[in-house]
Amino acid sequence: MLVLMTADSTYDLESTAPATKEELLGRIAQGDQAAFGELYDQIAPRVLGLVKRLLVDHAQSEEVTQEIFLEIWQTATRYEAKRGGASTWIMTMAHRRAVDRIRASQAGRDRDTKIGIRDLVAPYDHVSETVEVRIEHERVKKAMSRLTELQREAVSLAYYGGFSHSEVAERLQIPLGTVKTRLSDGMIRLRDELGVAS
Protein backbone atom coordinates (compact mmCIF):
# COMPACT_ATOMS: atom_id res chain seq x y z
CA MET A 1 0.00 0.00 0.00
CA LEU A 2 1.28 3.42 -0.97
CA VAL A 3 0.75 6.33 1.39
CA LEU A 4 0.59 9.81 -0.01
CA MET A 5 2.46 12.30 2.08
CA THR A 6 1.83 15.99 1.90
CA ALA A 7 3.80 18.86 3.34
CA ASP A 8 1.24 19.04 6.14
CA SER A 9 1.81 15.38 7.11
CA THR A 10 3.93 14.70 10.13
CA TYR A 11 6.19 11.69 9.86
CA ASP A 12 8.52 10.58 12.59
CA LEU A 13 11.75 9.64 10.81
CA GLU A 14 13.48 8.59 14.04
CA SER A 15 10.97 5.84 14.75
CA THR A 16 11.72 4.03 11.48
CA ALA A 17 15.51 4.56 11.42
CA PRO A 18 17.38 1.43 12.55
CA ALA A 19 19.15 1.71 15.89
CA THR A 20 22.91 2.13 15.80
CA LYS A 21 25.13 -0.69 16.97
CA GLU A 22 26.19 1.45 19.91
CA GLU A 23 22.56 1.89 20.98
CA LEU A 24 21.91 -1.80 20.52
CA LEU A 25 24.90 -2.72 22.70
CA GLY A 26 23.56 -0.40 25.41
CA ARG A 27 20.21 -2.16 25.29
CA ILE A 28 21.88 -5.60 25.20
CA ALA A 29 23.80 -4.64 28.35
CA GLN A 30 20.38 -4.26 30.01
CA GLY A 31 19.32 -7.72 28.81
CA ASP A 32 17.25 -6.70 25.77
CA GLN A 33 16.95 -9.85 23.64
CA ALA A 34 15.26 -8.02 20.76
CA ALA A 35 18.23 -5.63 20.56
CA PHE A 36 20.54 -8.64 20.50
CA GLY A 37 18.59 -10.14 17.60
CA GLU A 38 18.73 -6.85 15.72
CA LEU A 39 22.50 -6.50 16.31
CA TYR A 40 22.97 -10.09 15.17
CA ASP A 41 21.09 -9.41 11.93
CA GLN A 42 23.16 -6.30 11.28
CA ILE A 43 26.67 -7.60 11.89
CA ALA A 44 26.68 -11.43 11.85
CA PRO A 45 27.59 -11.66 8.13
CA ARG A 46 30.64 -9.41 8.64
CA VAL A 47 31.75 -11.33 11.72
CA LEU A 48 31.36 -14.69 9.98
CA GLY A 49 33.21 -13.35 6.94
CA LEU A 50 36.19 -12.20 9.03
CA VAL A 51 36.35 -15.43 11.00
CA LYS A 52 36.02 -17.57 7.88
CA ARG A 53 38.79 -15.61 6.16
CA LEU A 54 41.10 -16.53 9.06
CA LEU A 55 39.96 -20.09 9.79
CA VAL A 56 38.93 -21.20 6.27
CA ASP A 57 36.91 -24.13 7.67
CA HIS A 58 33.22 -23.17 7.52
CA ALA A 59 32.08 -25.34 10.43
CA GLN A 60 34.77 -23.97 12.75
CA SER A 61 33.99 -20.45 11.57
CA GLU A 62 30.33 -20.87 12.50
CA GLU A 63 31.29 -22.26 15.90
CA VAL A 64 33.66 -19.37 16.62
CA THR A 65 31.05 -16.86 15.42
CA GLN A 66 28.56 -18.36 17.86
CA GLU A 67 31.12 -18.01 20.66
CA ILE A 68 31.67 -14.37 19.69
CA PHE A 69 27.97 -13.55 19.91
CA LEU A 70 27.74 -15.33 23.25
CA GLU A 71 30.63 -13.18 24.44
CA ILE A 72 28.88 -10.05 23.13
CA TRP A 73 25.74 -10.99 25.10
CA GLN A 74 27.78 -11.66 28.26
CA THR A 75 30.14 -8.68 28.06
CA ALA A 76 28.01 -5.92 26.51
CA THR A 77 28.23 -4.04 29.82
CA ARG A 78 31.99 -3.61 29.26
CA TYR A 79 31.55 -1.78 25.98
CA GLU A 80 32.52 1.89 26.24
CA ALA A 81 31.47 4.07 23.30
CA LYS A 82 34.12 6.68 24.11
CA ARG A 83 36.86 4.09 23.48
CA GLY A 84 35.70 3.18 19.98
CA GLY A 85 32.82 2.17 17.76
CA ALA A 86 30.68 -0.89 18.38
CA SER A 87 31.68 -2.44 15.05
CA THR A 88 35.35 -2.05 15.92
CA TRP A 89 34.78 -3.61 19.36
CA ILE A 90 32.92 -6.57 17.88
CA MET A 91 35.33 -7.14 14.97
CA THR A 92 38.33 -6.95 17.33
CA MET A 93 36.67 -9.57 19.50
CA ALA A 94 36.02 -11.70 16.40
CA HIS A 95 39.61 -11.42 15.20
CA ARG A 96 40.95 -12.29 18.66
CA ARG A 97 38.69 -15.34 18.96
CA ALA A 98 39.63 -16.59 15.48
CA VAL A 99 43.36 -16.22 16.19
CA ASP A 100 42.90 -18.02 19.52
CA ARG A 101 41.22 -20.92 17.68
CA ILE A 102 44.10 -21.08 15.16
CA ARG A 103 46.64 -21.17 17.98
CA ALA A 104 44.71 -23.83 19.87
CA SER A 105 44.45 -25.97 16.73
CA GLN A 106 48.17 -25.58 16.03
CA ALA A 107 49.05 -26.46 19.62
CA GLY A 108 46.88 -29.58 19.34
CA ARG A 109 48.57 -30.61 16.10
CA ASP A 110 52.02 -29.99 17.60
CA ARG A 111 51.11 -32.06 20.67
CA ASP A 112 49.80 -34.90 18.49
CA THR A 113 52.96 -34.80 16.40
CA LYS A 114 55.20 -34.94 19.48
CA ILE A 115 53.23 -37.85 20.90
CA GLY A 116 53.28 -39.60 17.53
CA ILE A 117 57.03 -39.20 17.20
CA ARG A 118 57.57 -40.33 20.78
CA ASP A 119 55.46 -43.45 20.26
CA LEU A 120 56.93 -44.26 16.85
CA VAL A 121 59.02 -47.39 17.01
CA ALA A 122 61.88 -47.03 14.57
CA PRO A 123 62.56 -50.14 12.54
CA TYR A 124 65.68 -51.87 13.79
CA ASP A 125 67.67 -54.43 11.86
CA HIS A 126 69.09 -56.79 14.48
CA VAL A 127 70.87 -58.95 11.91
CA SER A 128 72.87 -56.12 10.36
CA GLU A 129 73.64 -54.69 13.81
CA THR A 130 74.95 -58.07 14.94
CA VAL A 131 77.03 -58.45 11.78
CA GLU A 132 78.52 -54.97 12.18
CA VAL A 133 79.44 -55.64 15.81
CA ARG A 134 81.09 -58.97 14.89
CA ILE A 135 83.07 -57.42 12.04
CA GLU A 136 84.24 -54.57 14.29
CA HIS A 137 85.11 -57.08 17.02
CA GLU A 138 87.21 -59.11 14.57
CA ARG A 139 89.04 -55.97 13.39
CA VAL A 140 89.86 -54.96 16.97
CA LYS A 141 90.93 -58.53 17.85
CA LYS A 142 93.26 -58.62 14.82
CA ALA A 143 94.71 -55.20 15.69
CA MET A 144 95.21 -56.22 19.34
CA SER A 145 97.18 -59.28 18.20
CA ARG A 146 99.66 -56.93 16.52
CA LEU A 147 100.50 -55.18 19.80
CA THR A 148 103.41 -56.34 21.94
CA GLU A 149 102.47 -58.58 24.85
CA LEU A 150 103.16 -55.76 27.34
CA GLN A 151 101.04 -53.24 25.38
CA ARG A 152 98.21 -55.76 24.93
CA GLU A 153 98.19 -56.53 28.64
CA ALA A 154 98.03 -52.83 29.65
CA VAL A 155 95.35 -51.98 27.04
CA SER A 156 93.24 -55.02 27.99
CA LEU A 157 93.29 -54.15 31.68
CA ALA A 158 92.59 -50.44 31.12
CA TYR A 159 89.96 -50.62 28.37
CA TYR A 160 88.39 -54.06 28.71
CA GLY A 161 88.94 -54.49 32.45
CA GLY A 162 87.96 -50.92 33.31
CA PHE A 163 90.93 -50.32 35.59
CA SER A 164 92.47 -46.89 36.09
CA HIS A 165 96.09 -46.27 35.15
CA SER A 166 97.17 -46.49 38.78
CA GLU A 167 95.21 -49.75 39.25
CA VAL A 168 96.90 -51.23 36.15
CA ALA A 169 100.30 -50.20 37.54
CA GLU A 170 99.44 -51.84 40.86
CA ARG A 171 98.24 -55.10 39.21
CA LEU A 172 101.25 -55.35 36.92
CA GLN A 173 103.61 -54.13 39.66
CA ILE A 174 105.21 -51.53 37.40
CA PRO A 175 105.61 -47.75 37.70
CA LEU A 176 102.65 -45.55 36.68
CA GLY A 177 104.74 -43.80 34.02
CA THR A 178 105.49 -47.14 32.36
CA VAL A 179 101.78 -48.00 32.26
CA LYS A 180 101.00 -44.64 30.63
CA THR A 181 103.74 -45.16 28.04
CA ARG A 182 102.54 -48.70 27.18
CA LEU A 183 98.94 -47.48 26.89
CA SER A 184 99.91 -44.51 24.74
CA ASP A 185 102.11 -46.61 22.44
CA GLY A 186 99.47 -49.35 22.28
CA MET A 187 96.69 -46.89 21.40
CA ILE A 188 98.79 -45.28 18.66
CA ARG A 189 99.49 -48.69 17.17
CA LEU A 190 95.81 -49.72 17.41
CA ARG A 191 94.76 -46.49 15.72
CA ASP A 192 97.20 -47.14 12.89
CA GLU A 193 96.06 -50.76 12.53
CA LEU A 194 92.36 -49.81 12.48
CA GLY A 195 92.95 -46.87 10.11
CA VAL A 196 91.42 -44.32 12.48
CA ALA A 197 92.55 -40.73 11.98
CA SER A 198 93.60 -38.88 15.15
Side-chain angles (χ1 to χ4, degrees):
M1 170 168 123
L2 184 62
V3 177
L4 183 60
M5 306 243 343
T6 63
D8 304 0
S9 303
T10 57
Y11 186 73
D12 188 5
L13 290 175
E14 289 183 19
S15 65
T16 59
T20 66
K21 293 173 186 70
E22 289 77 10
E23 293 170 343
L24 292 172
L25 278 174
R27 289 173 36 205
I28 292 168
Q30 297 171 354
D32 186 342
Q33 292 180 3
F36 182 77
E38 195 175 327
L39 179 71
Y40 182 88
D41 291 340
Q42 284 184 21
I43 201 161
R46 283 186 59 204
V47 171
L48 180 61
L50 171 66
V51 172
K52 190 170 182 184
R53 195 169 33 241
L54 292 170
L55 295 180
V56 180
D57 181 72
H58 188 73
Q60 274 200 15
S61 300
E62 287 178 343
E63 187 177 321
V64 170
T65 300
Q66 182 178 359
E67 291 171 7
I68 293 162
F69 278 97
L70 177 63
E71 186 176 353
I72 290 169
W73 176 257
Q74 293 172 338
T75 63
T77 55
R78 294 187 203 152
Y79 170 69
E80 296 176 31
K82 64 184 177 213
R83 296 184 73 193
S87 293
T88 304
W89 185 70
I90 293 168
M91 297 308 279
T92 300
M93 189 183 301
H95 186 269
R96 190 182 70 239
R97 281 277 183 159
V99 169
D100 287 348
R101 178 61 63 98
I102 291 167
R103 288 180 180 149
S105 295
Q106 184 61 46
R109 280 193 300 275
D110 291 348
R111 184 177 47 253
D112 291 346
T113 300
K114 285 178 185 176
I115 289 170
I117 289 171
R118 182 192 67 204
D119 294 344
L120 178 68
V121 177
Y124 183 73
D125 187 355
H126 294 284
V127 174
S128 72
E129 180 71 20
T130 303
V131 169
E132 286 179 31
V133 168
R134 283 186 183 164
I135 291 171
E136 193 62 29
H137 179 73
E138 289 300 319
R139 287 184 65 218
V140 171
K141 189 175 175 183
K142 184 178 176 183
M144 286 285 286
S145 70
R146 296 213 169 105
L147 298 179
T148 66
E149 184 59 39
L150 298 174
Q151 290 171 340
R152 186 172 34 258
E153 187 177 35
V155 169
S156 293
L157 287 172
Y159 292 98
Y160 289 117
F163 295 104
S164 68
H165 292 177
S166 54
E167 290 171 333
V168 172
E170 195 176 298
R171 273 187 171 266
L172 298 178
Q173 299 177 348
I174 57 175
L176 180 61
T178 305
V179 169
K180 289 183 178 183
T181 301
R182 288 179 185 174
L183 286 172
S184 176
D185 291 346
M187 293 307 291
I188 290 170
R189 197 161 184 184
L190 278 175
R191 190 173 53 231
D192 291 343
E193 290 291 330
L194 294 171
V196 177
S198 57

